[in-house]
Amino acid sequence: MNRTFDVVVIGAGPGGYIAAIRAAQLGFSVACCEFNSYDDPAGEPRLGGTCLNAGCIPLKALVSSSELFEKISHHLEDHGITVNGLHMDVLRMQKRKESIVDRMTGGVQFLFRKNGVTLLKGRASFAGRVDEGYRIVVRSKDGDEEVLAKKVIIATGSKARHIPNVKVDNETICDNEGAMKFTEPPKRLGIIGAGVIGLEIGSVWRRLGAEVTVLEVMPSFLGACDESISRQASKLFLKQGLHIRLGVKIGQAKLTESGVSISYTDDQGAEHLLECDRLIVSIGRVPNTEELNLEAIGLQTDERGFIPVDDHCATASSGVYAIGDVVRGPMLAHKAEDEGVMAAEMIAGMKPHIDYGSMPWVIYTTPEIAWVGKTEQQLRSEGRDYKTGQFPFSANGRALSLGDSDGFVKMIADAKTDEILGVHIIGSNASDLIAEAALAMEFRASSEDVARTCHPHPSLSEAVREAALAIEKRALNI
Ligand code: FAD
Ligand code: NAI
């Protein structure tokens, strides 16, 4: 007799594990399937998906360690602090990263036990429909188990996109998985793709001493950001020694005695060869759907491999939802989590809603870049009248005392109604500052609402208020 669950979630990344927990909170019997052991020595599935095992969390651990190293190496003199004999133990840094990952993935196991979520260890695929739901086969080294699900949430996430003539071995030529495991900083690091991963991982190894060259196919840098932010980021990254070549066409990568050589054509058509010790390929990600046997339940992916869903993440098969990286929209952990909650609440007959327009983005470089809402260039192309206010961290006392005064906050509001349409930050702690802007936009606040809200002094958040004040040309500290 097959086990039956009210809800079966496929994939235990931030989308899937949050969906499973929310569904359990709502009183359903829930199972969640996961197979990926992410190199677990015992071969046990590790929960938390890309985010906890090979993405957000390990990368931010490395970002923090490398930022500290750079700060101590170069930015303590003004504080009157001299450090002699500074040494970076990369193996120790990697151990710290791994212990954070262990703790977080173990935490998800704990949450499953606490909420009564059954973990089904193995690869899940659809076997067909039955009157009361769906047949799902979970394949593992111990054999196959077929379970029945009244409702299904697909949360199988994504994997790195590769290019045919650049073969990833995750030793010399790496995607996100290998690129975070180096045991020493490469002397010369090549990166294909100046997107979020390229810039974050590239900055980690640059801070630890690598000479980093980034090869980007697009003629412009950080095209998704407000253009004022991209300009400032480009200047700061250049000053930090990151070499970024735009408008290139990648040729062939070849392993050499010392590492790898990669040929490319620049924007003028000239041919080049980049010799490096290691190469990272970070050119976007593709959804994981090929193992699901979606045809068995009458579903098809779109031309890019995503599962088509409506605004509430419902697929064309009744009672089957799909969330996170496997569906349209930004590939972000917090987007996957919010969709997980929404799918579980839809199953419970509630009326959840996600405002994708007030979903924040962060890039964890130095300084951090964060934004929510629309950019100036988007608003111009929509023909919308708007006003802007900008405030630099160099006029903020807290930023000066932290020694992190690069960057600014820019707020954009509707010219007539004053509703906030976008907030763009480049600066220290932008990842935390942007939450205030996201909340303001979720409540459809005006710039005046933020300008009239008392902010703590001295704090970086005062720069957000000053940017709001600057919209009416009444910033007080500049
Ligand atoms: P995933 O996290 O990919 O999880 C899907 C899970 O499903 C996986 O564990 C997989 O093994 C499992 N699975 C797949 N197929 C099956 C199957 N057939 N049966 C059973 N299980 C299956 N986002 C941010 O918001 N902030 C960041 O700072 C950030 N940093 C990142 C850094 C890197 C290097 C990378 C690669 C990504 C980063 N992201 C970040 C993106 C974020 O990790 C993803 O958006 C997020 O993990 C997507 O969650 P998900 O649940 O949809 O999928
Ligand atoms: P990305 O989409 O951010 O950037 C890929 C870059 O590679 C783009 O600039 C693209 O123009 C370029 N590119 C594509 N094909 C190329 C080619 N053939 N040659 C040269 N350049 C090429 O993708 P990335 O960096 O791989 O990250 C994947 C996703 O993971 C991101 O989109 C993001 O959603 C998520 N992520 C989020 C983070 C965060 O929130 N802080 C951190 C890291 C990843």
Side-chain angles (χ1 to χ4, degrees), residues 11-87:
Y17 89 75
I18 290 291
I21 291 172
R22 184 69 187 121
Q25 285 174 347
L26 291 165
F28 295 113
S29 63
V30 183
C32 182
C33 319
E34 178 60 65
F35 72 91
N36 205 330
S37 65
Y38 294 98
D39 297 338
D40 182 278
E44 280 293 296
R46 306 259 288 185
L47 309 186
T50 306
C51 169
L52 263 51
N53 293 284
C56 326
I57 299 303
L59 183 46
K60 267 77 240 185
L62 299 183
V63 165
S64 301
S65 299
S66 61
E67 278 186 339
L68 260 182
F69 181 73
E70 183 166 61
K71 196 155 205 150
I72 296 170
S73 307
H74 303 297
H75 303 293
L76 289 188
E77 264 179 26
D78 276 359
H79 292 266
I81 303 170
T82 311
V83 179
N84 293 317
L86 186 66
H87 168 69

Side-chain angles (χ1 to χ4, degrees), residues 353-465:
H353 168 72
I354 292 177
D355 180 358
Y356 289 91
S358 55
M359 195 166 275
W361 271 87
V362 180
I363 308 179
Y364 293 83
T365 41
T366 312
E368 291 178 356
I369 295 170
W371 73 95
V372 55
K374 299 208 170 172
T375 61
E376 267 204 75
Q377 59 270 28
Q378 279 173 324
L379 292 167
R380 269 202 308 272
S381 71
E382 287 171 14
R384 191 146 178 191
D385 285 340
Y386 62 88
K387 40 195 184 167
T388 65
Q390 192 164 314
F391 189 82
F393 284 108
S394 56
N396 174 278
R398 180 77 174 137
L400 287 171
S401 49
L402 288 167
D404 285 333
S405 56
D406 280 332
F408 57 85
V409 179
K410 173 166 152 183
M411 189 175 282
I412 311 177
D414 186 276
K416 283 196 202 79
T417 64
D418 193 36
E419 179 178 348
I420 300 172
L421 302 176
V423 176
H424 305 270
I425 306 177
I426 177 165
S428 185
N429 285 28
S431 52
D432 290 318
L433 295 176
I434 204 66
E436 172 184 5
L439 184 68
M441 286 191 63
E442 190 71 39
F443 279 81
R444 301 193 66 179
S446 62
S447 78
E448 188 186 353
D449 290 326
V450 175
R452 287 191 181 278
T453 302
C454 189
H455 283 65
H457 174 79
S459 73
L460 298 174
S461 69
E462 287 172 294
V464 178
R465 183 191 204 179

Side-chain angles (χ1 to χ4, degrees), residues 10-17 33-36 38 46-57 59-60 120 122-125 155-159 176 180 196-197 200-201 285 288 291-292 323-326 330-336 362 364:
I10 307 179
Y17 89 75
C33 319
E34 178 60 65
F35 72 91
N36 205 330
Y38 294 98
R46 306 259 288 185
L47 309 186
T50 306
C51 169
L52 263 51
N53 293 284
C56 326
I57 299 303
L59 183 46
K60 267 77 240 185
L120 300 175
R123 293 171 189 270
S125 58
T156 45
S158 65
K159 58 176 174 285
N176 60 299
M180 285 191 274
V196 205
I197 294 182
E200 291 190 11
I201 301 189
R285 295 179 65 79
N288 292 322
E291 291 189 47
L292 286 170
I323 60 167
D325 282 10
V326 82
M331 288 184 167
L332 296 172
H334 43 283
K335 177 254 191 189
V362 180
Y364 293 83

